[in-house]
Structure formats: structure tokens, C-alpha cells
Amino acid sequence: MSTQVIMPEPRGSQINWSQLSLVAVAGVAAVSILVLLGMIIWMSLRTGVPGQASDYSLRNYSAILADPYTYKVMWTTLYFSAVTIAVAVPLGFIFAWLVERTDMPYKAVAMSLLSIGILFPTFLKAMGWVFLLHPRIGMINIFLMQIFGLSQAPLNIATLTGIGWVQGLTLTPLAYVMISAALKSMNPALVEAANVHGVSQWRTLVRIELPLIWPALFSAVIWMLTVAIAAFDVPGVIGMANNIFTFSTAIYYMINPNEGLPRYGLCGAYGAIMVCVSLILMIPYFRALKQSHRYQIISGKSYQSRPVELGRWRWLAWAMLGSYFLLAFVLPLLAIFWVSLLPYVQAPSWQTLKVISFERYTQIAFDSALLDAAWNTLLLMVIVPTAIVIICLPISWIVTRSRMRGRLVLDAIAFLPHPVPHILFALAIAYLALLISNVIPLYGTIYVLMAVYVVCWISFGTRVLNNSMIQVHRELEEAAQVGGASTFRILSKVIAPLIKPGLIYAWIWTSLSAYRELTMAVFLSSPKSQVLSTYIWGQWHGGGLGDAAAIAIMMIAVMAPLVTTFWIYARKQQQVASAT
């Protein structure tokens, strides 16, 4: 019996259609990113509304540079960002140090509380703080005024400092993640040497540990700054109603003015400035990461990290973490739930307990507009992550597995949506949709939301899949090539099963992000393409605070099991990775 050996096709004998299809998918994604970024610049050089004849000039830049309001917005944004960083980075460092460097009990619970806080919608937390500390309707202020007979509210969250405080609380888990990774990988040899020589824990922290992880701290500060400059949720919920505008909310107001037409040209000029600032801030960020190796020392298995003994202070550590979780999540959530049960905002008392009712929940359950928003949200949660995986898989394969020219350029383009504020991509695709509305009526549809979500989260998907593919050895891939398997078959049958955890992780994370996203949705949604976040936004700014609170509670109730599922899966994957 003779056996037939299948030899691989000689290179260059015919067109490799599988590789060509992968390059086509990656190319379309890269072109989409560049087109939307170019659209912002193009928009800034024109005046009038989309489709209207206009020459190209720098008049929009001249207008914003000559307007004192621009510098007021700039100062407001910088002050808000500084308060955000002053809250998020120190808290993130303290919690990271407690978890990674001390013997604080129940560390798994601590990490879970900090990780879960990242996933819940930021704008809902901001709503809760309005119900707690607004000078007119804040329940804590109402309670204090009644108890002490005050004529004015003693606390006011509707200030620039208050907005930065709330934003800082919401970004603390992100700062914790960034700093804890540096503390975890830091070699403890110098710390052990300091302990042997009797150096105090405080002096060791200040003189040894902080200098060793300063690149991570500096990177966290830069990253928090870029996030704060682009933040929309908290400034939009708390600041806009009190005439406090940052860059993002100022752009929103220009697109949705109380009078007159939208000023797309000025928005484009603002957007171009924000793009430049974000990209410039990435230079010191990457330099800090590149220089981090200079602060490492030779490591080995002989050096084991000995945790700092907290002694009686361990319960103070938990008191700090518990207080943070109470302020950042529990109190805002309880405030939203309480308001959803009342006809109007009232402080808790025995009298108000008599008027609480679940009537709002029964009413909104049959709201057709809300059901349509829920359906649109479900579509986004399924289609967007699926598209992300399908698009990012070829990009990551080209970047990490192929030898194609330009793969590093492709990787850089795929990363661009990460530092650039997503609000600008939403602005660009809205302008583009208006330009082509006569040919393809996409403006105001759910498809525009899908497109911008996919473009903006390509960077996240490629980062996750790049890391997963790098860990896969080339032996199985080379064996499949010898057997004559096509590139597409190797990718789908060999590589994809091996990086399945990364694919699932990226899918679940982007699905949750699609569920909670407000910034891009509020710029692009229309009455026919409402999602849950924009529906709550409309109720909030329309004066329906109780209805907005009830829908927010329903949104959190649906999201809780999704977040729990993601957390359990992530923990299992972390345990598997640490075991191997």
C-alpha cells in the first residue's frame, strides 16, 4: 500500500488567498482608524454644516484661540484633571502596596472589590453622588440642614473639585492595577537588605520602593491625565447642569446647542487640539515604560518577598479599603435605589418610609422606548465583541506571527484609538455619516454606533490577542504548514484554540464595555437608536430623576451577573497562568 504525502504548496506559485483575506480585514480596520482621525482634521478646516460648500482655512483655530472661553475650558479641564490624579494615584498606590507588599488579610476579597469597581458604569456613580451631595437635592445635605438648622447646604459636589473627586474615586481601581503590576514584579532584594540593616519601613518605602517603581507611578499619572482630559461621564452628569465645562462637555454643547446650528468646525478644532495633546502625552508615557528596565535588579528564586507585617494596623488597612468601597460604590448605589422608590428626592426618615413604592419599576417595565433601548443594547453587546474578535485576530496574527513588511506600522495604527479620546471618533463618524447621508442613510442608526465601538476598541482587542499569540510556540504552526494547511486554516484550527482564553476575555470585556458605554453613544444615538445608557441620560437631563434612578438600578441588576461571570473567568485564567 502506498501512502500519498501532501506537500506544501510552493511559495509564489499562486496567490495566497487566505493571507490576502487576513491582510484585507486588517487593512480595512487600519484605513477606518486613519480616515476617522483625518476626518477630525478635515472638519476643523471647514465652516458651516456638513454638505455645505466651504473653503479650507484656519479660521476655526483662530476663533478658538481668540476666544477667552477656550482658556477657561482649558483651565477647568486641567484643574479637574489635577484633582482626579491627586485622588486616584495616591489611593491606587496605597491599595496596591497593601495588597502586594503587606500581610493584609483576605487579599483576594480586596482585589475583587477593586477589580469589580472598574466594570460598573461611571455615570451611574456620578448620579448617586448628585443624590448624596447636591446642594439642593443631596440627601446628606438635606439631613445635615435639618439636624443643625442650616440655611445653606454645607457640602457641594457640583463644583470643579467635587467633580474631580468623583472622577478620581472611579479611576482608583485603574491606578491600582497599573501600580500593583510594578510592585508585584519588583525584586525585593534591596528591601530585604534595608530590613537586615534596621532601616524603618517608612524610610524603606520612601527611599527604596518608590524610586524602584517610579516609572509605573509616572506612567499612571500620565495615563490618568489622558483619561481625565477626555472624560465625559462625570463632567456631563454633574458639571453641565452647573455650567462647568471641560473639553469633552464643551464639544458636546457645541454639537447640541440650545440655539442655532451645530458648530462642527469649532468642534473639529477642539478635537484636533485634544488629539495632539493626547499623542504628546504618550511620548513621556512610553519613555517611562522603556526606561523601566534601568530600575530593575538581578532577580532569582533565592529572593522571596517577605510581606510587611502590619500587626494591629491590618484592620486600619481594611478600614481604608472598606471606606473607599463604601464611598465609590455602595453609597451612590444606595442613593440611586432610594430615589427610585420615592415620588421626589427626600432624605431618609420614618415619614418617607411610608411613601416608598416600586410603582416606577412596574411602569418602566412596559415602556416601549425603554424596551427598544434594551434591544439595541443587546445587539451591541453581541455584535460588537464578535466583530472585535474577528478583526483583531488577523491584525494580531500579522503583527506577531508573520514577516510582512509594515506590520509594526499596522500595530501602531491599531493602538491609536487607545490614547485618542473616543469622543473624537464619535464626532468624526457623525460628521462622516452626515456627509454621505444622501447616498447611504446611516446617520442616527445603530450601525453607526456599532462601527465606532469596533474602531475604538480595536486597540484593546489587539493588545489582548498580541499578548496571547506571543506565548504560542511556532512548532505547531510550522507542522501545519508542512502538512499543507492554509494560513486561514492554521489560524482557525491551531492558533485560535490555543489562545481561546484571550479571545473569550476580549469578547466578554468588550461586551461589558458596550453595555456601559455612554460617551460615544450620547453623541450618536437618535430616537431610533437609543441604548440604555442614553435613555438614562435623556431622563436625567429631562428632569425625570426618579425614572432615571429606577432604570439605572435595573441596568445594574442586569450587569451584576455579567460582571460576576467575567470576574470568575478572569480569576480562573489568572490561577491557571500562575500555576504554569
Side-chain angles (χ1 to χ4, degrees), residues 191-207:
V191 177
E192 295 291 341
N195 292 335
V196 169
H197 288 81
V199 181
S200 65
Q201 295 292 348
W202 172 254
R203 191 174 180 85
T204 301
L205 175 65
V206 174
R207 299 297 297 273

Side-chain angles (χ1 to χ4, degrees), residues 34 45 48 54 87 125 157 200 221-222 237 246 249 265 291 296 339 341 363 369 408 431 488 502 514 534 548 580:
L34 295 177
L45 300 175
S54 173
V87 174
K125 301 173 188 176
I157 200 65
S200 65
V221 170
I222 296 296
V237 171
T246 60
T249 52
Q291 295 177 2
Q296 298 172 353
V339 171
L341 302 176
Q363 291 176 350
L408 297 181
Y431 194 84
F488 182 79
T534 58
T580 56

Side-chain angles (χ1 to χ4, degrees), residues 506-573:
W507 196 97
I508 297 177
W509 178 271
T510 49
S511 180
L512 289 173
S513 299
Y515 185 75
R516 66 193 293 271
E517 173 63 27
L518 172 69
T519 303
M520 293 181 284
V522 80
F523 270 78
L524 297 172
S525 64
S526 67
K528 295 182 179 180
S529 61
Q530 290 279 351
V531 293
L532 287 176
S533 58
T534 58
Y535 193 86
I536 295 174
W537 173 269
Q539 293 291 330
W540 177 266
H541 284 277
L545 302 184
D547 291 338
I551 301 170
I553 291 297
M554 294 178 65
M555 186 176 181
I556 293 175
V558 172
M559 192 172 190
L562 300 176
V563 171
T564 303
T565 302
F566 174 80
W567 175 79
I568 293 174
Y569 180 81
R571 290 287 296 173
K572 287 183 177 179
Q573 296 304 319

Side-chain angles (χ1 to χ4, degrees), residues 40 109 130 324 349 362 367 526-527:
I40 297 171
V109 178
V130 171
Y324 165 76
S349 66
T362 58
D367 186 345
S526 67

